[in-house]
Amino acid sequence: MADTQTMPVALVTGAGRGIGRSVASRLSAAGYRVALTARSVEDLAGTAAECPGETLVLPGDITDPAFVDQLYADIEAAWGAVSVLVANAGAGVSASVVRTTDEEWQRMLDLNLTAPFRCLRRALPAMVERRHGRVVVIASVAAKIGEPYISAYTASKHGVLGLVRSAAAEVATKGVTVNAVCPGYVDTPMTDATVRGIVEKTGRSEQEARSALASKQPIGRLITRDEVADAVLLCVTNGAITGQGINVDGGAVPS
Ligand SMILES: NC(=O)c1ccc[n+]([C@@H]2O[C@H](COP(=O)([O-])OP(=O)(O)OC[C@H]3O[C@@H](n4cnc5c(N)ncnc54)[C@H](OP(=O)(O)O)[C@@H]3O)[C@@H](O)[C@H]2O)c1
């Protein structure tokens, strides 16, 4: 039986469903002890049940700065330093620029930009000290292009790609890589919510709305969450990839 004390530690934010759930179970299968966080305890329990290895379920709101500190303290007390951080928790909002409220704007920046920054800031010192670490932020193709009606989301994702590029340059000689994975539309509960929004706003059928999102990818379908997890695992295993925003978008956006 493996000595679990020597197994490396990964933290996945937004691990309760969608992309985060796939990433967590893939890291677990690859031999990591995986700390899982999101707000819903029930969702996290579902993810833990899909992980073959040891997990730690630590529910909380990742936009709360005190929670981020507590999260790392709890992981370090249980298992020691985090060697892989996957900053995945995120959400979108749809509105024209002129209809975007201050609250919506701030919520996007808090969740998609500031929370990954705080997690990265807390993760890096131990990684640099141990001269090994992997950080992967789940950004979006919205980190690279602008589309209508998602300006707050797009601004937050452009911002987080900038954070990734700058942090990667800072720690490039320290054995630590920092990358973003930039998916197109992925078949997850977040995209289900986008479909519902299109149905409500346009009167189109659910199938029409889903097909419209599928056709955004030149491959003609939604990306699977496992395809996104594959790209995360590549960033985790390959020490020569850093400072990148890797598109997993079926050919939609040039790198
Ligand atoms: N789906 C897509 O088409 C797509 C495309 C490009 C990029 N992405 C990005 O990929 C990431 C994951 O998306 P997904 O599609 O897997 O979304 P999802 O199915 O909605 O899952 C999002 C996860 O983030 C957690 N989360 C949300 N707000 C949180 C908060 N304040 N504190 C802690 N956890 C929070 C959710 O759990 P709780 O609600 O329980 O907290 C959930 O576990 C996001 O960053 C998203 O922007 C998604």
Side-chain angles (χ1 to χ4, degrees):
M1 200 173 142
D3 175 6
T4 57
Q5 294 306 309
T6 62
M7 293 167 96
V9 175
L11 165 61
V12 181
T13 75
R17 54 178 189 261
I19 293 166
R21 180 174 282 198
S22 279
V23 169
S25 67
R26 289 289 300 277
L27 286 169
S28 180
Y32 286 85
R33 290 177 284 174
V34 189
L36 310 168
T37 190
R39 290 166 301 180
S40 162
V41 190
E42 294 75 25
D43 285 357
L44 291 175
T47 300
E50 284 186 18
C51 289
E54 214 180 330
T55 55
L56 208 52
V57 168
L58 299 166
D61 186 338
I62 203 69
T63 63
D64 174 356
F67 174 70
V68 173
D69 284 337
Q70 191 58 51
L71 176 66
Y72 275 85
D74 288 347
I75 298 167
E76 286 162 358
W79 287 342
V82 170
S83 59
V84 172
L85 162 65
V86 182
N88 162 76
V93 66
S94 174
S96 67
V97 174
V98 298
R99 287 184 183 276
T100 299
T101 65
D102 282 352
E103 289 72 23
E104 287 167 336
W105 177 264
Q106 196 58 51
R107 189 164 62 85
M108 288 296 100
L109 295 187
D110 287 349
L111 180 58
N112 297 335
L113 177 56
T114 305
F117 158 67
R118 290 199 184 110
C119 289
L120 180 60
R121 181 175 61 182
R122 186 60 178 75
L124 282 182
M127 291 179 175
V128 167
E129 193 188 320
R130 293 148 60 102
R131 299 197 75 79
H132 181 80
R134 299 284 182 258
V135 177
V136 186
V137 176
I138 309 301
S140 167
V141 289
K144 298 191 174 174
I145 56 162
E147 292 215 336
Y149 309 117
I150 50 169
S151 59
Y153 182 73
T154 300
S156 68
K157 294 294 188 179
H158 271 64
V160 87
L161 183 55
L163 167 71
V164 161
R165 287 171 168 155
S166 183
E170 236 174 84
V171 297
T173 60
K174 314 284 186 199
V176 179
T177 65
V178 186
N179 289 290
V181 169
C182 299
Y185 283 94
V186 187
D187 193 3
T188 71
M190 180 172 156
T191 294
D192 294 341
T194 304
V195 167
R196 285 195 296 277
I198 294 170
V199 169
E200 273 166 31
K201 281 185 181 150
T202 67
R204 281 194 265 179
S205 72
E206 190 184 322
Q207 200 184 341
E208 284 167 342
R210 198 165 279 278
S211 298
L213 296 184
S215 69
K216 297 259 185 193
Q217 287 69 234
I219 57 173
R221 62 168 175 81
L222 297 178
I223 308 299
T224 70
R225 53 193 201 141
D226 285 343
E227 287 168 335
V228 182
D230 283 344
V232 173
L233 266 288
L234 175 67
C235 296
V236 168
T237 51
N238 192 315
I241 300 175
T242 194
Q244 302 303 308
I246 298 172
N247 297 351
V248 184
D249 65 349
V253 174
S255 294

